[in-house]
Amino acid sequence: MSDTVLEQQQAKVPQQADVGSAARLATHMAHFPLPRDLTFLWTVGAMLVAVLALMVASGLSLALSYTPDATLAFSSVEALERRAPSGWLLRSLHMTGASFFMLALYFHLLRGLIYRSYAPPRRGVWGVGVTVLVMVMVTAFAGYVLPWGQMSYWGADVAGKAVGAVPFVGPTLEAMFLGGDAPGTPTLHRMFVLHFTMAFTLVGAVVLHVAVLHGRGSGSPSGVSGQNPKRMLSFHPYFTVKDTLGVVLMALAFTLVMCFWPGLVSEAENYRPANPLHTPADIEPAWYFLPFYGMLQVVPSKFGGLVVSAGAVLVLFLVPRLDPKPHAATSPWWVSRFVAGAALSVLVLSFILVGLAGRHHVAGVWLTVGRLATLGFYAYFFGFLPWHARREAQL
């Protein structure tokens, strides 16, 4: 009898240790110090975490009914929407979540550029964040192919041809991507596995991003001056309330779009089954890929367009080196902020205009607009950032 009691007590020890570890982690998170001047833009991170949790939960439910086969994929999605209990709601949540996640991610990235979140000592935070962006884009593209509608099929076809333009290894890469000469069942198998695997890898990358952020500390609008211990507040309850409000407001906007304006996040052409013999009049990706699609088309060479389009994402990894100056305690020159704001405005405007050019297939005047917008986009990174870093160093 005494041996049994001893075994029970020993079994409780790891559980108590686990509870203690969880309690210490919760206490650490609650008392984590953050600058008190954080604006609403810092709440976007909490929105991203909330949408990611929704995407993983709804995606797992959708995967139970999906069939990655060229002859059955579209019908399996239709059956899910029309016959499965709340199937239409699950797919609507997943589609709307993809758009909201990308929109919030773009705002999160813009906030990092505005407040130089890439400056030392947070280069690691920036690098992990950009890696998360690349992973999200790969996951989103793979998910866009899975419904196997018209846009899904021809989107995969355009992507395959773009990859095939790489010198020497292009045909091999295209065959690996498509699994054959044209999109089909092998393509769906690859995209389904990629989408499913990347989703969970993405969760780990986000956890790493948050861990590195906690190790380096959060930035603030006032730079180094905002890191004064006297200007710090604990994460709970001050920022948990703000984050909760942000998530609630986002949920309201999410519900309005999903229920009343679903056309903003979906393509009517993709509700038609894939037909290799009928090319849609307007082949275009999801709205969040339009700027990169526009850059792909503004260059006459297929390989050149691929380099320009992919480079628009990869250049973000170089930002800490293009602008290496650490955060200043205060801005030494008010004109510097004005010039930086104007340059960022040009960057955002260029990103939007090249997306509109992609939507109009860079035809006519949109070709000129797309090329000028692409130049404006790259001019910010390779022109303004190095110049501004040198200018700040001289002041």
Side-chain angles (χ1 to χ4, degrees):
M1 183 67 179
S2 59
D3 293 341
T4 304
V5 173
L6 181 60
E7 289 176 359
Q8 292 176 352
Q9 292 177 346
Q10 290 175 345
K12 291 180 180 179
V13 172
Q15 296 178 1
Q16 292 174 353
D18 292 340
V19 172
S21 300
R24 285 194 298 271
L25 178 61
T27 302
H28 168 73
M29 294 294 293
H31 295 284
F32 184 75
L34 291 171
R36 67 172 62 199
D37 60 344
L38 296 187
T39 65
F40 193 74
L41 287 174
W42 268 260
T43 306
V44 176
M47 298 179 187
L48 285 167
V49 173
V51 178
L52 179 61
L54 174 66
M55 294 291 290
V56 171
S58 59
L60 283 173
S61 302
L62 292 171
L64 297 175
S65 303
Y66 179 73
T67 306
D69 184 276
T71 58
L72 300 173
F74 186 85
S75 58
S76 69
V77 174
E78 288 290 300
L80 171 73
E81 287 192 328
R82 299 174 186 274
R83 300 176 187 175
S86 302
W88 65 272
L89 179 60
L90 283 173
R91 193 179 177 212
S92 296
L93 287 171
H94 205 67
M95 286 195 305
T96 309
S99 288
F100 269 74
F101 193 86
M102 289 300 301
L103 180 63
L105 194 58
Y106 285 153
F107 272 107
H108 198 58
L109 177 65
L110 178 61
R111 190 265 294 169
L113 290 173
I114 292 173
Y115 294 106
R116 300 183 70 246
S117 299
Y118 49 82
R122 298 182 186 85
R123 289 183 175 180
V125 180
W126 177 265
V128 176
V130 176
T131 303
V132 169
L133 171 64
V134 174
M135 294 172 63
V136 169
M137 296 179 74
V138 172
T139 307
F141 175 78
Y144 188 74
V145 174
L146 294 181
W148 211 235
Q150 276 286 73
M151 285 299 174
S152 298
Y153 176 89
W154 290 101
D157 185 69
V158 170
K161 287 182 171 58
V163 173
V166 177
F168 305 113
V169 296
T172 302
L173 293 176
E174 183 179 3
M176 291 175 59
F177 173 73
L178 296 177
D181 297 330
T185 298
T187 310
L188 278 177
H189 276 285
R190 284 162 169 75
M191 294 299 103
F192 181 67
V193 173
L194 182 64
H195 187 69
F196 197 85
T197 305
M198 288 293 289
F200 290 98
T201 307
L202 184 59
V203 173
V206 170
V207 172
L208 177 61
H209 183 61
V210 174
V212 176
L213 174 64
H214 278 227
R216 294 298 184 182
S218 175
S220 69
S222 54
V224 174
S225 62
Q227 308 301 315
N228 190 323
K230 295 181 180 180
R231 301 184 60 185
M232 295 294 214
L233 294 174
S234 61
F235 177 69
H236 178 76
Y238 301 101
F239 295 99
T240 51
V241 172
K242 182 187 288 187
D243 289 349
T244 302
L245 176 61
V247 172
V248 169
L249 293 177
M250 182 205 64
L252 291 175
F254 189 103
T255 304
L256 288 174
V257 171
M258 184 179 70
C259 296
F260 297 102
W261 300 292
L264 294 176
V265 296
S266 62
E267 286 284 346
E269 197 69 29
N270 220 31
Y271 286 99
R272 299 176 182 176
N275 183 2
L277 302 179
H278 176 68
T279 306
D282 295 316
I283 301 176
E284 61 185 45
W287 68 266
Y288 40 82
F289 286 139
L290 280 175
F292 309 102
Y293 184 60
M295 293 181 188
L296 185 69
Q297 299 177 84
V298 297
V299 180
S301 165
K302 286 185 178 181
F303 177 65
L306 180 63
V307 170
V308 171
S309 181
V313 180
L314 298 179
V315 71
L316 296 173
F317 287 101
L318 301 178
V319 169
R321 296 186 178 276
L322 295 172
D323 184 14
K325 185 177 180 293
H327 267 302
T330 57
S331 180
W333 187 33
W334 71 270
V335 178
S336 176
R337 290 188 175 184
F338 174 78
V339 173
L344 271 169
S345 299
V346 171
L347 173 68
V348 174
L349 182 62
S350 299
F351 192 71
I352 294 173
L353 286 177
V354 75
L356 292 174
R359 195 175 190 281
H360 291 86
H361 304 283
V362 295
V365 69
W366 285 108
L367 175 60
T368 304
V369 171
R371 287 177 174 173
L372 291 175
T374 302
L375 288 175
F377 180 88
Y378 276 97
Y380 175 82
F381 295 103
F382 293 111
F384 171 75
L385 283 184
W387 172 83
H388 189 255
R390 290 194 300 269
R391 176 67 182 177
E392 288 283 300
Q394 295 171 1
L395 296 176

